[in-house]
Amino acid sequence: MKIFSAPDYTGMSRKAANLISAQVILKPDSVLGLATGSTPLGVYAQLIDWYNKGDVDFSKVRSVNLDEYCGLAPEHEQSYHYYMKENFFKHINIRLENTHVPDGLAEDVAKEGCRYDALIESLGGIDLQLLGIGNTGHIGFNEPSESYIKETHRVTLNQKTIDANSRFFASKDQVPRYAVTMGIGAIMKAKKVLLVANGAGKAEILYKSLFGPITPEVPASILQVHPDVTIVADEEAMSVIREKHPEMID
């Protein structure tokens, strides 16, 4: 496990974008696992800037997203299809047919999960998976539970997750209660994992995830056994780790 600290959100975004751009430069046809939410926005903005400067080429990249809300059409402004298009894909030269997001409108979610897992396998697996971390310790939308679910599946969102995501909707009542998410299995099969975190609100859960017991009650704790995981966080998110394990921070 490699843990890097950045002074602020901009620094965190730049360090994380550096790792992703290096992956693409070294392997132009990389399969990138992509995340949504507020934390990765700065990462995508930095990658767009470097693309515009001619420093990175996404023309051969394939991508698979972690999750999608159930019940939202791709055109819905709060869907993750829409998020990815507006915040990243339409600003770079990735081919849209090489981008993949779970189908939130699938009537048979179990069948959709099998399809999505087979798709990832057909691409050769994920070379680098970008992750955020939720207030519950969720990665993707894998919420705290009694066991880890390996396959892409439908999940009932935790109330803390609904509360946190309500800032993106006109009201809390509009936040979907269900999502389809890549399972822990595909995430853990990724050759590399890059987790980003910012803000004091993530400090305690980041510490629990990286230094606490490995338990499905803190889903991100499974990353402790991944062979190649890098964490990039700003000083606020790193505060508890810096207090208790300063020797672990680069």
Side-chain angles (χ1 to χ4, degrees):
M1 184 183 297
K2 299 176 287 292
I3 303 176
F4 296 98
S5 178
D8 52 24
Y9 178 76
T10 300
M12 178 213 75
S13 300
R14 187 177 180 87
K15 282 190 176 184
N18 258 319
L19 295 172
I20 296 172
S21 62
Q23 172 68 40
V24 173
I25 290 168
L26 291 173
K27 186 183 180 186
D29 62 345
S30 288
V31 177
L32 299 181
L34 300 178
T36 53
S38 56
T39 303
L41 286 172
V43 179
Y44 296 142
Q46 182 63 76
L47 290 171
I48 291 166
D49 180 57
W50 286 335
Y51 163 73
N52 287 331
K53 292 177 179 176
D55 294 333
V56 60
D57 175 16
F58 295 94
S59 62
K60 297 180 181 179
V61 166
R62 286 82 50 77
S63 73
V64 289
N65 262 75
L66 284 165
D67 41 36
E68 178 59 286
Y69 286 120
C70 288
L72 296 191
E75 300 78 21
H76 192 288
E77 290 185 359
Q78 296 305 329
S79 76
Y80 290 149
H81 282 82
Y82 187 89
Y83 171 106
M84 292 306 305
K85 180 179 178 182
E86 293 299 312
N87 293 302
F88 193 36
F89 294 155
K90 77 176 188 180
H91 304 286
I92 59 174
N93 65 334
I94 195 168
R95 297 170 61 188
L96 288 181
E97 60 266 32
N98 287 339
T99 68
H100 307 279
V101 182
D103 182 3
L105 295 180
E107 293 184 5
D108 188 334
V109 179
K111 184 176 180 180
E112 168 62 9
C114 290
R115 181 198 71 83
Y116 204 67
D117 289 336
L119 168 68
I120 294 171
E121 289 293 326
S122 73
L123 295 174
I126 298 167
D127 291 302
L128 186 153
Q129 176 64 60
L130 175 65
L131 297 175
I133 183 169
N135 293 324
T136 64
H138 71 237
I139 47 177
F141 270 135
N142 292 281
E143 296 280 20
S145 65
E146 296 180 354
S147 62
Y148 291 112
I149 300 178
K150 296 179 182 178
E151 300 82 13
T152 297
H153 61 284
R154 173 173 147 160
V155 63
T156 301
L157 300 183
N158 187 288
Q159 188 60 48
K160 284 186 177 180
T161 302
I162 293 171
D163 292 343
N165 289 354
S166 65
R167 68 189 187 278
F168 301 116
F169 292 80
S171 72
K172 190 178 296 185
D173 292 338
Q174 294 182 9
V175 183
R177 267 48 183 174
Y178 303 96
V180 55
T181 184
M182 191 187 293
I184 292 296
I187 293 172
M188 291 300 288
K189 287 180 182 177
K191 299 176 183 68
K192 299 178 183 178
V193 170
L194 169 60
L195 186 145
V196 291
N198 72 288
K202 298 295 177 67
E204 188 62 38
I205 193 63
L206 188 62
Y207 171 75
K208 287 181 180 179
S209 297
L210 302 183
F211 295 96
I214 299 172
T215 169
E217 294 179 0
V218 183
S221 64
I222 193 70
L223 297 176
Q224 293 181 43
V225 299
H226 192 280
D228 190 346
V229 59
T230 301
I231 295 88
V232 181
D234 68 4
E235 275 299 323
E236 289 187 341
M238 199 69 76
S239 60
V240 177
I241 295 175
R242 185 170 294 285
E243 176 186 349
K244 297 184 177 182
H245 291 282
E247 75 284 356
M248 294 295 294
I249 302 173
D250 287 322

